[in-house]
Amino acid sequence: GQCVLDEQTAMSTSAMGKAASDRLMQLKAAVDAELGGEGQAIETEYKALAAGQKAAEATPAAKAAWQGKAEAWEKKRQAFQAKVQQRNQEMQYTQQEVMQAIFQKMIPNINAVVTQKSCATVLSADSLLHYDMTTNTAGANSQTSFLYANPAMNITTAVVQKMDSTGEKLPAFDRVKLDQPAAGAAPAK
């Protein structure tokens, strides 16, 4: 009859999903390192600028020079904020592409399990009533999730086992770069 599949759990607990998650964490760490250094430099420059503000008010020439530095710093800050936003978008696009690629590789495995289990229909676990509960046991929080469906209907574990048994790997991937020209676009002259 009816079967239930939790796509997110299948993607995140499969070997392919875990490898993708590890790679995404590496890419995020590289972005954090890149932005952290720049952010720290901008912060240091701001502190020096703020510290010199009172002294710069002594003469009109010093004040004009300080204002020029403040304007230059503001441009750097705005450029940095735009870069942070761009890197966040790049990571979001990368994650979406990876999830889509995993799901595409998951489809034949879902079909095989559906055939094996004789499922007439497959419902997404997201469409069913479920409840997440955090309990505190001996000082440690534990997350418990209840899915309101007969456990015999849930094919998630079978799909993960089928995916893992193929040994198929997700192709290597890097962060999507939004500041690069689109593929096939003419290079700037």
Side-chain angles (χ1 to χ4, degrees), residues 108-131:
N109 298 294
I110 294 170
N111 291 338
V113 171
V114 164
T115 301
Q116 176 191 7
K117 301 271 187 182
S118 301
C119 301
T121 58
V122 178
L123 302 172
S124 173
D126 287 342
S127 67
L128 299 175
L129 182 62
H130 61 279
Y131 176 71

Side-chain angles (χ1 to χ4, degrees), residues 181 185-189:
K189 293 183 180 181

Side-chain angles (χ1 to χ4, degrees), residues 48-87:
L49 192 62
Q53 184 176 9
K54 282 191 179 185
E57 292 179 10
T59 66
K63 186 174 184 175
W66 182 87
Q67 285 177 334
K69 290 178 184 178
E71 289 171 8
W73 176 84
E74 179 61 22
K75 287 179 183 175
K76 285 181 190 177
R77 185 191 67 78
Q78 288 174 356
F80 177 70
Q81 285 182 330
K83 187 174 189 177
V84 167
Q85 185 176 10
Q86 180 178 343
R87 292 299 181 261

